[in-house]
Amino acid sequence: MTSPSIYVVAFFVSLLVSVGSMPFVIKFAKRYGFVDQINHRKIHKKEMPRLGGVSIILGAIAGLIVIRPESDYLFGIGLGALIIIITGLIDDRYVLDAKAKFSAQIAAALVVVGSGITIPFITLPLSGQFEFGIFTYLITVLWIVGITNSINLIDGLDGLAGGVVTIALSTILMMAIIDSFSQHLMIITLSVVLIGSTLGFLLFNFYPAKIFMGDTGSLFLGYSIAVISILGLFKSVTMFSLIVPVIILAVPISDTVFAMIRRVLNKKKITSPDKEHIHHCLLAMGYSHRTTVMIVYGLSLFFSGLAMIFTNVTIWTALIIIGLMLITIQLYAEFIGLFGKSRRPVIDAVKRLGMMDKK
């Protein structure tokens, strides 16, 4: 069995490589045109390098070299990641259309499924285990593509996506260690190196950012957390399986689902961008950039806490937790005015109470 101390070493190696490579990545991005241009959807006011994902990837690779994990799935995960990384790099330089990006994501997901990583069932309170059968592969591909895009969509403010991913990965890491350290070595390995490298990136990305992660980073992190969440951690939990990662990732998942519904209701393409995501709504209420990010962090921590409690409670308590989560998501839907209700009354009420952040 690998000594736990090697994971500590790998964490710091990932962190240091991510931090150390960042100045070179920034110079490279500016020199060769990997920059985020200003437009009506952007929050930033100047041209920004957007290749920070490369430092995240370099840090993760360095950490993996330290641990040298052994897994039958490693080649498939790596090949899928390579497809995602190449797609992200091309998009950060030339901007790919939605069809090309989706095609690449599906290809990466198919590689993962081909390596044997699948979601064969979901276990629900009261109704028991539900086998997906012939739909196992389709469900797995949809999960990987969906989570990959959810992280990509929430990457709208300095430090937002990186922080949400770090919170989710930290939750998965803690649950893996508590459940069985020896049985979840691959999950622990990937989580540790990604947390380290992402934290290194956040040192340069938290407001005011010096660099963005770009699609190279957001697609890679989304893909990584999608794969990690189905590697087997929650299949050993008697009562619950896929529900747990859904709760952990409730913020990006709900934001993505509501974005799709919103665009359908507005008769727009589901791939068309807008400024109605949760972070845009908070900014519209007058909250500062930093405060908005912290609020979303708080929501992520809330759902991560629910997920950890969820795996160690009775069925009825679990149902209460699910209800609490659904109520929170419903309040979020009301907040963003998803079904045509204006959030102006909410904004005006907050102003009258003097709760606006004027920083």
Side-chain angles (χ1 to χ4, degrees), residues 110-181:
L110 288 173
V111 169
V112 172
V113 170
S115 71
I117 300 174
T118 61
I119 304 172
F121 64 85
I122 184 172
T123 308
L124 301 169
L126 300 181
S127 60
Q129 185 170 296
F130 178 79
E131 299 284 345
F132 290 130
I134 60 173
F135 297 104
T136 291
Y137 303 110
L138 176 61
I139 296 295
T140 306
V141 169
L142 289 175
W143 173 261
I144 294 173
V145 173
I147 298 302
T148 299
N149 279 285
S150 71
I151 301 302
N152 183 240
L153 288 175
I154 206 171
D155 183 29
L157 294 180
D158 299 351
L160 186 57
V164 169
V165 167
T166 300
I167 291 169
L169 286 172
S170 298
T171 305
I172 292 174
L173 175 61
M174 287 187 287
M175 295 181 73
I177 293 172
I178 291 170
D179 185 59
S180 175
F181 189 96

Side-chain angles (χ1 to χ4, degrees), residues 258-274 338-340:
F258 288 151
M260 293 171 66
I261 295 172
R262 181 173 62 247
R263 289 162 190 173
V264 169
L265 292 176
N266 292 327
K267 297 180 180 180
K268 296 180 179 179
K269 293 181 179 179
I270 61 172
T271 56
S272 61
D274 59 35
L338 180 63
F339 300 110

Side-chain angles (χ1 to χ4, degrees), residues 24-25 28 36 51 55 65 72 105 184 192 197 208 223 250 255 277-278 312 335:
F24 301 99
V25 170
F28 181 90
D36 203 24
L51 213 56
S55 287
I65 291 173
D72 295 335
Q105 292 165 23
H184 303 308
V192 164
S197 59
Y223 164 84
D255 197 55
H277 292 284
I278 184 170
N312 296 285
F335 166 69

Side-chain angles (χ1 to χ4, degrees), residues 221-235:
L221 288 177
Y223 164 84
S224 298
I225 201 168
V227 172
I228 290 171
S229 65
I230 57 175
L231 270 175
L233 171 59
F234 305 113
K235 293 174 187 176

Side-chain angles (χ1 to χ4, degrees), residues 86-351:
I86 292 173
T87 303
L89 286 170
I90 295 173
D91 188 59
D92 283 337
R93 181 60 183 85
Y94 299 107
V95 184
L96 291 171
D97 62 32
K99 288 183 180 179
K101 290 168 69 174
F102 273 120
S103 298
Q105 292 165 23
I106 291 171
L110 288 173
V111 169
V112 172
V113 170
S115 71
I117 300 174
T118 61
I119 304 172
F121 64 85
I122 184 172
T123 308
L124 301 169
L126 300 181
S127 60
Q129 185 170 296
F130 178 79
E131 299 284 345
F132 290 130
I134 60 173
F135 297 104
T136 291
Y137 303 110
L138 176 61
I139 296 295
T140 306
V141 169
L142 289 175
W143 173 261
I144 294 173
V145 173
I147 298 302
T148 299
N149 279 285
S150 71
I151 301 302
N152 183 240
L153 288 175
I154 206 171
D155 183 29
L157 294 180
D158 299 351
L160 186 57
V164 169
V165 167
T166 300
I167 291 169
L169 286 172
S170 298
T171 305
I172 292 174
L173 175 61
M174 287 187 287
M175 295 181 73
I177 293 172
I178 291 170
D179 185 59
S180 175
F181 189 96
S182 60
Q183 291 183 20
H184 303 308
L185 293 180
M186 191 61 186
I187 296 167
I188 292 170
T189 296
L190 294 175
S191 297
V192 164
V193 300
L194 286 169
I195 291 169
S197 59
T198 305
L199 285 175
F201 162 74
L202 282 172
L203 292 176
F204 294 82
N205 181 245
F206 204 74
Y207 185 80
K210 296 180 178 66
I211 187 172
F212 296 158
M213 67 170 64
D215 273 25
T216 306
S218 61
L219 293 177
F220 172 73
L221 288 177
Y223 164 84
S224 298
I225 201 168
V227 172
I228 290 171
S229 65
I230 57 175
L231 270 175
L233 171 59
F234 305 113
K235 293 174 187 176
S236 63
V237 179
T238 304
M239 192 58 63
F240 314 108
S241 53
L242 189 60
I243 292 179
V244 176
V246 168
I247 297 175
I248 293 173
L249 296 167
V251 172
I253 289 175
S254 60
D255 197 55
T256 301
V257 171
F258 288 151
M260 293 171 66
I261 295 172
R262 181 173 62 247
R263 289 162 190 173
V264 169
L265 292 176
N266 292 327
K267 297 180 180 180
K268 296 180 179 179
K269 293 181 179 179
I270 61 172
T271 56
S272 61
D274 59 35
K275 295 187 72 173
E276 296 294 326
H277 292 284
I278 184 170
H279 49 279
H280 293 129
C281 294
L282 289 167
L283 287 173
M285 287 182 68
Y287 287 103
S288 70
H289 197 122
R290 284 176 181 267
T291 303
T292 295
V293 171
M294 289 302 174
I295 290 173
V296 179
Y297 283 3
L299 285 171
S300 297
L301 286 168
F302 169 73
F303 284 116
S304 290
L306 285 184
M308 295 194 71
I309 296 171
F310 194 77
T311 57
N312 296 285
V313 296
T314 63
I315 290 177
W316 291 108
T317 305
L319 289 172
I320 292 172
I321 291 174
I322 292 175
L324 182 60
M325 183 182 74
L326 292 176
I327 290 170
T328 303
I329 292 175
Q330 174 63 27
L331 291 172
Y332 165 42
E334 295 287 340
F335 166 69
I336 64 173
L338 180 63
F339 300 110
K341 296 179 181 179
S342 172
R343 58 178 184 273
R344 174 54 55 187
V346 177
I347 297 173
D348 291 341
V350 173
K351 286 181 177 178

